Amino acid sequence: MNNTTIRQIAGFENQEVTLRGWLTHKRSSGKIHFLQLRDGSGTIQCVAAASDLSPELFSMIGFLTQESSLAIQGVVRADQRSAIGYELAVRNISVIGSSVDYPITNKEHGPGFLMDHRHLWIRSTRQHAILTIRGRISTYIRNFFESRGFLNTDAPIFTPSSCEGTTTLFPVDYFGEQVYLTQSGQLYGEAMAKAFGKIYTFGPTFRAEKSKTRRHLMEFWMVEPEAAFMTLDEDMELSEDLLVEITTRVLAECRKELQILERDISALEKVQKPFPRLHYADAWKKLRELGSSIAEDDDFGAEDETILTQQFDRPIIVHHFPSAMKAFYMKKDPDNPRYSLSMDILAPEGYGEIIGGGAREESLETLVAAIEHHKLPMQDFSWYLDLRRYGATPSAGFGLGLERTVAWICGIHHVRETIPFPRMLERNRP
Amino acid sequence: MNNTTIRQIAGFENQEVTLRGWLTHKRSSGKIHFLQLRDGSGTIQCVAAASDLSPELFSMIGFLTQESSLAIQGVVRADQRSAIGYELAVRNISVIGSSVDYPITNKEHGPGFLMDHRHLWIRSTRQHAILTIRGRISTYIRNFFESRGFLNTDAPIFTPSSCEGTTTLFPVDYFGEQVYLTQSGQLYGEAMAKAFGKIYTFGPTFRAEKSKTRRHLMEFWMVEPEAAFMTLDEDMELSEDLLVEITTRVLAECRKELQILERDISALEKVQKPFPRLHYADAWKKLRELGSSIAEDDDFGAEDETILTQQFDRPIIVHHFPSAMKAFYMKKDPDNPRYSLSMDILAPEGYGEIIGGGAREESLETLVAAIEHHKLPMQDFSWYLDLRRYGATPSAGFGLGLERTVAWICGIHHVRETIPFPRMLERNRP
């Protein structure tokens, strides 16, 4: 007996196979039961005709319940009406695991209920599509950096210090000493860029922010490339290339999933180089013209990002943010130190910031002054300062938030659907 | 001027290029300075001849210090004596960042000193080789699972419960509620396998073990595949295939790094299928014959693993460990419930366990009884039990510890060198 999967079904036309999966829907019309079977790799219609089966088996099939796990033996038949081109003419069915009163039914469920049942909700067609795209985007990102010679490395999760103050950090008792869960691997990325030239880290990062917005998770995945000798211009180009690569591959390889999500394909097709590039000062002026009340040299709020990105049909790069709002390690523009060699990429359609990065300050003296100015504990950054004591170089990089990127690509409202088990302000289960 | 990297130097024979990197060694013989430049992608000898340069420049080169960052302009010359086949005839050098009294010199340094300077130590030839192999192994692992249709997913880091008691967990205050850092994504992996069929997670995991051995890290990376309907036999075969794939690719693509590490290549070449498979009872008998004092149905100690693996020239699979020593979710052998459908793979040459896995219990009743028996909080596992209430299936998987695997492949003694910034009992910096 050929055990196979729905994804591979085309290779078995007119052959008898066994599929194993879960029953998602059932419909009966007198002498025929139509069963929708999903096995994780796809969904197929299985047709159980009374004329082909014993009366006992045909009757049993009538009692099968949603999300029962089944082994279905049958013959693969080409069928033009099928989305996958095939259906299965059932010869035998055995129940592997029963399912009584599956909680997620065809009726509307509230988000709280669905999140409580996240371990089951991920079986639904829509969540399957989102998380499949998430998995593939992760792979596209890795392949992109590998093909450009960036070495895959890992920054530590336990970090003794923080780049930007400790108020949004999760502290952990590390055998009597307080450490924090990382918010960014960047400082470590710089050390590794000086050993390997070009590196990327891709791991979970943590923010203990008391925010309950549709864009915030306490635990999210971030890819952070860093390259020695890279300039801000090269950094912008790299991030632009990455986003074009992601959308191009999603459009080529995730069509089925985008259809399920009813994603506007044309919006993704517009993600082509070059992205509009705006100096912060110009973006600021435009925002004020558009009615924003953004203060001088202030960071963009979510509302500002929405207003601004609605002016364009593709992601935009805002660069040279005011130095005052940026972290201590951000390099100032030598020609106008009011602004920094920083950049953000804002996704279109109101999705806001998905990339933030820039060039790092390479002068030891400037960096020491910045640490003092930010009142950060100098001792914690002694190792980081060593990167300037011993063969300092220009260095640049960025961080791309995976979940916000997936939300944008999938065209979904809330980041909670973009990660298998989201951790939010009031949600750490299941 | 052509900015390029040492890895790409072959494309520039007889052309003038600029390389940017760090000075690792310098040797002078009267009218010639020999400079070793590394740029992360490789190392090249740069030859600065007095006859080619101004007296001022030639003299300045004589004062260059270890780990200064330099831009070196020169002509690429084929040279058969060079390990990379080329050297650079220097035309000009400019200093990007100076380096005074670089702490890591040619003399012997103790491991404590080197670990304190880990951010610089990773620049050394040996650490560069180990971490390059680590990065590539991560990629080989991902490619292996992708090519077999396993979806890349992520398990949460913050987990409300633990599979195996809380004594070795790091607790975190999650807005007033206690959660723990994950020790394994497996339970979540099972939920995802029932949604996606075959999945793998690859992320950091945490153990708050007060162990100071050469095999223990507090924070380490683990890949965990899980597949619905997979049997123990298929699980063993999958893990065997993975290890053969890793060693095959390392041998094909990381020769230079293995040479630097003086790795015994022949030991890796022996990693071929089939791996010897031993039932626990047979392994136990053999251990007693070999002089171990292992108690009845006891787990193997590090010493036992060493003795046992020394009997074989390749990894070995020990299966059917006693149920009593295994976690609550491990399926018992229906033919002899004293033993479980579990397996470990032990690396040769004394490296010990690198893979642990097995089949999961699918019966709701058996699992409830096991949770009660282990005195675990039933409420925390309610969602996990749902996976048995709604369409239970056989499921199997394993976890492979990245750092132990890298230690074995690289032939190095201590896992602390297998991760960029190790976290150990008394080490959470830099």
Side-chain angles (χ1 to χ4, degrees):
Chain A
M1 195 175 327
N2 286 317
N3 278 331
T4 189
T5 61
I6 297 167
R7 185 185 292 154
Q8 294 166 305
I9 204 79
F12 294 90
E13 191 174 333
N14 296 325
Q15 292 177 48
E16 187 162 314
V17 298
T18 299
L19 293 172
R20 295 167 302 179
W22 296 264
L23 181 66
T24 62
H25 296 94
K26 193 187 61 190
R27 175 168 69 81
S28 300
S29 70
K31 298 290 179 200
I32 304 185
H33 298 300
F34 298 95
L35 310 175
Q36 298 293 328
L37 187 79
R38 66 165 187 87
D39 71 352
S41 82
T43 301
I44 192 169
Q45 174 159 280
C46 305
V47 182
S51 54
D52 291 343
L53 306 169
S54 71
E56 295 75 23
L57 181 58
F58 186 79
S59 159
M60 181 278 278
I61 293 172
F63 290 101
L64 290 177
T65 52
Q66 187 191 359
E67 286 300 319
S68 298
S69 49
L70 308 172
I72 307 189
Q73 208 175 324
V75 178
V76 179
R77 300 276 186 226
D79 187 303
Q80 295 205 325
R81 293 160 302 179
S82 157
I84 62 166
Y86 297 92
E87 60 177 32
L88 196 74
V90 175
R91 292 291 160 82
N92 199 4
I93 294 187
S94 55
V95 176
I96 297 167
S98 63
S99 171
V100 179
D101 297 333
Y102 187 68
I104 302 175
T105 60
N106 277 332
K107 69 170 194 187
E108 281 284 307
H109 298 286
F113 179 87
L114 290 170
M115 293 303 303
D116 285 344
H117 293 86
R118 185 66 177 163
H119 53 292
L120 303 176
W121 190 26
I122 55 176
R123 301 181 183 187
S124 77
T125 308
R126 184 179 151 84
Q127 299 306 312
H128 187 281
I130 296 168
L131 295 175
T132 298
I133 290 178
R134 173 197 172 87
R136 298 211 185 130
I137 287 178
S138 293
T139 300
Y140 302 150
I141 290 172
R142 292 180 181 278
N143 291 347
F144 174 84
F145 287 113
E146 296 286 332
S147 74
R148 292 178 175 231
F150 285 70
L151 183 72
N152 179 204
T153 62
D154 297 304
I157 306 297
F158 290 133
T159 52
S161 54
S162 122
C163 315
E164 302 171 43
T166 58
T167 52
T168 60
L169 290 168
F170 284 104
V172 176
D173 174 14
Y174 193 92
F175 306 106
E177 195 178 345
Q178 180 154 295
V179 299
Y180 303 97
L181 299 181
T182 184
Q183 286 196 325
S184 158
Q186 183 219 306
L187 303 191
Y188 294 95
E190 285 185 53
M192 295 191 281
K194 285 171 169 57
F196 303 98
K198 301 191 278 188
I199 64 95
Y200 71 100
T201 62
F202 196 168
T205 48
F206 305 86
R207 299 268 160 101
E209 252 180 293
K210 288 207 164 175
S211 296
K212 263 181 82 171
T213 84
R214 66 188 182 90
R215 291 183 187 181
H216 282 88
L217 293 169
M218 299 304 148
E219 176 186 316
F220 60 99
W221 285 66
M222 187 151 66
V223 59
E224 294 181 272
E226 183 80 22
F229 305 107
M230 188 157 72
T231 63
L232 177 62
D233 273 345
E234 291 165 341
D235 199 30
M236 290 196 273
E237 198 165 318
L238 183 72
S239 52
E240 198 177 47
D241 286 346
L242 173 63
L243 294 180
V244 171
E245 171 73 8
I246 290 172
T247 48
T248 304
R249 297 198 73 86
V250 166
L251 285 168
E253 298 170 16
C254 308
R255 281 281 165 156
K256 194 184 76 182
E257 287 74 17
L258 294 174
Q259 267 165 23
I260 289 166
L261 300 171
E262 297 174 344
R263 181 65 170 111
D264 175 6
I265 301 288
S266 70
L268 296 180
E269 283 169 342
K270 290 186 189 115
V271 181
Q272 299 293 341
K273 290 174 75 168
F275 297 172
R277 297 187 184 196
L278 289 87
H279 190 290
Y280 170 88
D282 297 325
W284 188 91
K285 246 183 267 165
K286 192 179 275 281
L287 274 172
R288 296 285 292 201
E289 282 163 23
L290 292 165
S292 165
S293 53
I294 183 170
E296 199 174 2
D297 285 2
D298 202 4
D299 206 354
F300 299 160
E303 183 65 12
D304 295 321
E305 291 184 353
T306 303
I307 298 172
L308 190 61
T309 56
Q310 276 167 353
Q311 305 300 307
F312 302 91
D313 67 351
R314 63 191 74 193
I316 61 171
I317 308 182
V318 181
H319 52 85
H320 286 87
F321 283 85
S323 299
M325 73 161 82
K326 286 292 174 185
F328 74 95
Y329 52 74
M330 199 67 86
K331 189 171 166 70
K332 290 177 182 168
D333 184 346
D335 296 331
N336 185 356
R338 176 178 167 187
Y339 298 108
S340 60
L341 298 182
S342 56
M343 61 107 184
D344 281 1
I345 298 193
L346 310 180
E349 303 169 80
Y351 283 95
E353 185 197 333
I354 49 173
I355 280 180
R360 325 305 182 184
E361 178 54 56
E362 64 235 51
S363 150
L364 180 64
E365 293 67 33
T366 309
L367 211 48
V368 166
I371 290 172
E372 281 167 353
H373 176 78
H374 282 80
K375 297 189 173 56
L376 294 167
M378 190 67 71
Q379 184 50 39
D380 285 352
F381 296 98
S382 155
W383 69 268
Y384 183 67
L385 294 171
D386 276 357
L387 307 179
R388 278 70 185 172
R389 290 190 185 99
Y390 308 112
T393 70
S395 189
F398 62 82
L400 172 138
L402 178 61
E403 287 74 16
R404 287 187 183 183
T405 303
V406 173
W408 162 50
I409 298 283
C410 291
I412 57 179
H413 182 70
H414 200 298
V415 289
R416 69 184 161 217
E417 293 183 54
T418 62
I419 185 166
F421 295 93
R423 298 296 182 242
M424 299 179 291
L425 190 55
E426 284 156 359
R427 163 82 47 201
N428 55 46
R429 295 164 187 263
Chain B
M1 192 176 327
N2 286 316
N3 277 332
T4 189
T5 61
I6 297 168
R7 186 185 292 155
Q8 295 165 304
I9 204 79
F12 295 90
E13 191 173 335
N14 296 324
Q15 292 177 49
E16 186 161 313
V17 298
T18 299
L19 294 172
R20 295 167 301 178
W22 297 264
L23 180 67
T24 62
H25 298 93
K26 193 188 61 192
R27 176 166 69 80
S28 301
S29 69
K31 298 289 180 201
I32 304 184
H33 298 300
F34 297 96
L35 310 174
Q36 298 294 328
L37 186 80
R38 64 165 189 88
D39 71 353
S41 82
T43 301
I44 192 169
Q45 175 159 277
C46 306
V47 182
S51 54
D52 291 343
L53 306 168
S54 71
E56 296 73 24
L57 181 59
F58 187 78
S59 160
M60 181 279 278
I61 293 173
F63 290 101
L64 290 177
T65 51
Q66 187 191 358
E67 287 299 320
S68 298
S69 49
L70 309 171
I72 307 189
Q73 207 175 324
V75 178
V76 180
R77 299 276 186 226
D79 187 302
Q80 295 206 324
R81 293 160 303 178
S82 158
I84 62 166
Y86 297 93
E87 59 177 34
L88 196 74
V90 175
R91 292 290 159 81
N92 199 4
I93 294 186
S94 55
V95 176
I96 298 167
S98 63
S99 171
V100 179
D101 297 333
Y102 187 70
I104 302 175
T105 60
N106 277 331
K107 68 169 196 189
E108 280 284 307
H109 297 288
F113 179 87
L114 290 169
M115 293 304 303
D116 285 343
H117 292 85
R118 184 66 177 165
H119 53 294
L120 303 175
W121 189 27
I122 54 177
R123 301 181 183 187
S124 77
T125 308
R126 183 179 152 83
Q127 299 305 313
H128 187 281
I130 296 168
L131 295 175
T132 298
I133 289 178
R134 173 198 172 87
R136 297 209 186 133
I137 287 179
S138 292
T139 301
Y140 302 151
I141 290 172
R142 291 179 182 279
N143 291 349
F144 173 85
F145 287 114
E146 297 286 331
S147 74
R148 292 179 176 231
F150 286 70
L151 182 72
N152 179 204
T153 62
D154 296 305
I157 307 296
F158 289 133
T159 52
S161 54
S162 123
C163 315
E164 302 171 42
T166 59
T167 53
T168 60
L169 290 169
F170 284 104
V172 176
D173 174 13
Y174 192 92
F175 306 106
E177 197 178 342
Q178 179 154 297
V179 298
Y180 303 97
L181 299 181
T182 184
Q183 288 196 325
S184 158
Q186 184 219 305
L187 304 190
Y188 294 95
E190 286 185 54
M192 295 191 280
K194 286 173 169 55
F196 303 98
K198 301 190 279 187
I199 64 94
Y200 70 100
T201 62
F202 197 168
T205 48
F206 305 86
R207 299 267 160 102
E209 253 181 290
K210 289 209 165 176
S211 297
K212 264 181 81 171
T213 84
R214 67 188 183 89
R215 292 184 187 180
H216 282 89
L217 293 169
M218 300 303 148
E219 177 187 317
F220 61 99
W221 284 65
M222 186 150 67
V223 59
E224 296 182 90
E226 184 80 23
F229 306 107
M230 188 157 72
T231 63
L232 177 62
D233 273 346
E234 291 165 341
D235 198 30
M236 290 197 273
E237 198 165 318
L238 183 71
S239 52
E240 196 177 47
D241 285 347
L242 173 63
L243 293 180
V244 170
E245 172 73 8
I246 291 172
T247 49
T248 303
R249 295 198 75 87
V250 166
L251 284 168
E253 298 169 15
C254 308
R255 282 282 164 155
K256 193 184 76 182
E257 287 76 16
L258 294 174
Q259 267 164 26
I260 288 166
L261 300 171
E262 298 173 344
R263 181 66 170 109
D264 175 7
I265 300 288
S266 70
L268 295 179
E269 284 170 342
K270 290 185 189 118
V271 181
Q272 298 295 341
K273 289 175 75 171
F275 296 171
R277 297 187 184 195
L278 288 86
H279 189 289
Y280 170 87
D282 297 324
W284 188 91
K285 247 183 264 164
K286 193 179 274 281
L287 275 172
R288 296 286 293 203
E289 282 164 23
L290 291 166
S292 165
S293 54
I294 183 171
E296 199 174 0
D297 284 1
D298 202 4
D299 206 354
F300 299 160
E303 182 67 13
D304 295 321
E305 291 183 355
T306 304
I307 297 173
L308 190 61
T309 55
Q310 276 167 351
Q311 306 300 307
F312 302 91
D313 68 350
R314 65 193 70 194
I316 61 172
I317 308 182
V318 181
H319 53 85
H320 286 87
F321 283 85
S323 299
M325 72 160 83
K326 286 292 175 185
F328 75 93
Y329 51 74
M330 199 66 88
K331 190 172 166 70
K332 291 177 180 165
D333 185 348
D335 296 332
N336 184 357
R338 177 178 167 188
Y339 298 107
S340 60
L341 299 182
S342 57
M343 61 105 185
D344 280 2
I345 298 193
L346 309 180
E349 303 170 79
Y351 282 95
E353 185 195 334
I354 50 173
I355 281 181
R360 325 307 182 184
E361 179 55 56
E362 64 236 51
S363 150
L364 180 63
E365 294 67 33
T366 309
L367 210 48
V368 167
I371 290 171
E372 282 167 353
H373 176 78
H374 283 79
K375 297 190 172 57
L376 294 167
M378 190 67 70
Q379 183 50 39
D380 284 352
F381 296 98
S382 152
W383 70 269
Y384 183 66
L385 294 171
D386 276 356
L387 307 180
R388 279 70 185 172
R389 289 189 186 101
Y390 307 112
T393 69
S395 189
F398 62 82
L400 171 138
L402 178 61
E403 288 75 16
R404 288 187 183 183
T405 303
V406 173
W408 161 51
I409 298 284
C410 291
I412 58 180
H413 182 69
H414 200 299
V415 289
R416 68 183 162 219
E417 293 184 56
T418 62
I419 184 166
F421 295 93
R423 296 298 182 244
M424 299 180 291
L425 190 55
E426 285 156 359
R427 162 82 46 202
N428 56 45
R429 292 165 189 266

